């Protein structure tokens, strides 16, 4: 099989646990691009943050951000965008405000979160948002559900971080009882993320593949979290990071090293070293 596309998650995959990128990773991506392979990112991050990482890798093509809710090469000309309606967002937030959790409404141009009482490292990381660019506005409000209606907020994704697993399970089930068709997944411990029905990284990848005339079996998809599992299963070669949970590893056809052990460059050299430049076959 000739692989024509490489799809990479960011956090826990491209980046080390300290959110830094190894020079070996940059070099490996340059190596595979020189073989004519289309490299893209598929992330739960907002679009500006995803674009920031892409620029560091000299990627100027389409990017999948917000768990598939926004696909674009540049912010002003999206190929695909999906937003949760103001009414549904308000109802979901009203339910979540009954739980002890941090809520973040993620839009491609800004994010809005609720204010929480506890001040610990877990909340601080979510509040700051890993990799948020300086020009990406992040605001917080005491009454988030009211703010949604007043400002007509329509996010692509809702991130929710809990302090206890029991509360997380209860809140997720509560929401599913009222919004069963929406997509629920997770990328970190004790959290879940909500997108509109059928909005996933995998479905975004299918759309992008159709646009670029690249079939799923010609793709290599790499990730480490539950929100990567479906695209790992869909791709011709689905790769799980060594730091991925067991169910994600079981969904993969190949397991590489961890993100702190140069897992991406190791995988690229092993998979692509014998492949000639795309177009030479």
């Amino acid at each position: 099989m000739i692989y024509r596309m490489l799809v990479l998650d960011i956090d826990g995959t491209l980046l080390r646990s300290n959110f830094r990128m190894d020079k070996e990773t940059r070099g490996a991506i340059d190596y595979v691009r020189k073989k004519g392979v289309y490299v893209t990112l598929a992330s739960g991050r907002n679009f500006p943050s995803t674009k920031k990482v892409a620029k560091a890798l000299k990627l100027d093509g389409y990017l999948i951000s917000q768990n598939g809710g926004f696909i674009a090469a540049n912010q002003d000309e999206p190929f695909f965008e999906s937003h949760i309606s103001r009414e549904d967002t308000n109802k979901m937030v009203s339910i979540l405000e009954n739980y002890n959790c941090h809520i973040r409404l993620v839009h491609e141009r800004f994010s809005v979160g609720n204010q929480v009482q506890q001040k610990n490292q877990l909340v601080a990381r979510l509040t700051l948002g890993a990799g948020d660019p300086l020009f990406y506005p992040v605001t917080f409000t005491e009454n988030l559900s009211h703010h949604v209606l007043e400002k007509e907020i329509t996010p692509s994704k809702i991130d929710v971080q809990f302090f206890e697993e029991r509360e997380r399970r209860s809140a997720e089930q509560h929401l599913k009882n009222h919004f069963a068709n929406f997509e629920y997944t997770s990328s970190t411990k004790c959290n879940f993320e909500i997108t509109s029905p059928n909005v996933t990284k995998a479905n975004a990848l299918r759309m992008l593949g159709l646009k670029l005339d690249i079939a799923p079996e010609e793709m290599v998809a790499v990730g480490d979290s539950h929100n990567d599992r479906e695209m790992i299963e869909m791709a011709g070669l689905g790769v799980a990071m060594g730091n991925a949970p067991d169910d994600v590893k079981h969904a993969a056809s190949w397991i590489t090293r961890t993100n702190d052990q140069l897992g991406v460059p190791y995988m690229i050299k092993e998979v692509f070293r014998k492949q000639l430049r795309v177009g030479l076959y």
Side-chain angles (χ1 to χ4, degrees), residues 238-250:
V239 180
M241 300 297 293
N243 47 291
D246 287 343
D247 61 325
V248 177
K249 289 179 179 177
H250 292 156

Side-chain angles (χ1 to χ4, degrees), residues 86-230:
R86 181 186 68 167
E87 293 73 20
D88 284 342
T89 301
N90 170 259
K91 291 175 184 176
M92 289 181 181
V93 170
S94 295
I95 289 173
L96 289 167
E97 285 176 332
N98 294 304
Y99 294 87
N100 185 21
C101 62
H102 181 82
I103 310 161
R104 185 164 174 174
L105 310 179
V106 181
H107 189 276
E108 61 271 15
R109 297 185 181 276
F110 61 87
S111 74
V112 184
N114 64 328
Q115 293 178 344
V116 290
Q117 296 301 315
Q118 283 134 309
K119 302 294 182 182
N120 61 28
Q121 187 177 5
L122 185 65
V123 177
R125 283 180 58 186
L126 183 62
T127 298
L128 292 173
D132 278 346
L134 294 176
F135 52 85
Y136 180 76
V138 181
T139 58
F140 300 93
T141 178
E142 292 183 2
N143 191 330
L144 186 57
S145 55
H146 176 75
H147 189 80
V148 167
L149 294 178
E150 182 182 23
K151 301 295 184 181
E152 299 189 357
I153 307 296
T154 57
S156 292
K157 182 172 74 110
I158 302 175
D159 283 345
V160 196
Q161 185 74 49
F162 293 82
F163 304 97
E164 296 180 7
E165 177 62 21
R166 177 183 57 81
E167 283 238 321
R168 186 201 67 79
R169 289 195 302 265
S170 175
E172 185 173 358
Q173 188 57 55
H174 193 165
L175 284 169
K176 285 180 176 179
N177 289 340
H178 293 83
F179 299 93
N181 294 329
F182 281 70
E183 301 291 337
Y184 298 83
T185 187
S186 65
S187 59
T188 62
K189 184 178 179 181
C190 224
N191 96 309
F192 61 77
E193 303 166 4
I194 309 166
T195 51
S196 296
N198 300 314
V199 173
T200 64
K201 288 186 181 184
N203 283 337
L205 197 52
R206 289 186 182 97
M207 287 188 283
L208 185 55
L210 286 172
K211 182 173 182 62
L212 300 175
D213 194 26
I214 299 176
E217 56 267 26
E218 297 176 300
M219 301 176 183
V220 177
V222 191
D224 74 298
S225 296
H226 299 288
N227 61 348
D228 301 311
R229 178 174 175 170
E230 188 183 346

Side-chain angles (χ1 to χ4, degrees), residues 34-87:
K34 288 176 182 177
K35 286 179 173 280
V37 176
Y38 193 100
V39 180
T40 188
L41 307 179
S43 178
R45 289 187 177 206
N46 59 68
F47 179 79
S49 180
T50 304
K51 185 71 172 179
K52 179 182 176 183
V53 176
K55 283 184 176 180
L57 295 168
K58 300 178 182 178
L59 303 179
D60 56 7
Y62 290 100
L63 305 171
I64 297 169
S65 61
Q66 293 150 223
N67 276 354
F70 197 79
I71 310 172
N74 66 76
Q75 187 167 271
D76 295 327
E77 298 177 351
F79 163 58
F80 172 82
E81 58 183 319
S82 172
H83 295 96
I84 302 172
S85 72
R86 181 186 68 167
E87 293 73 20

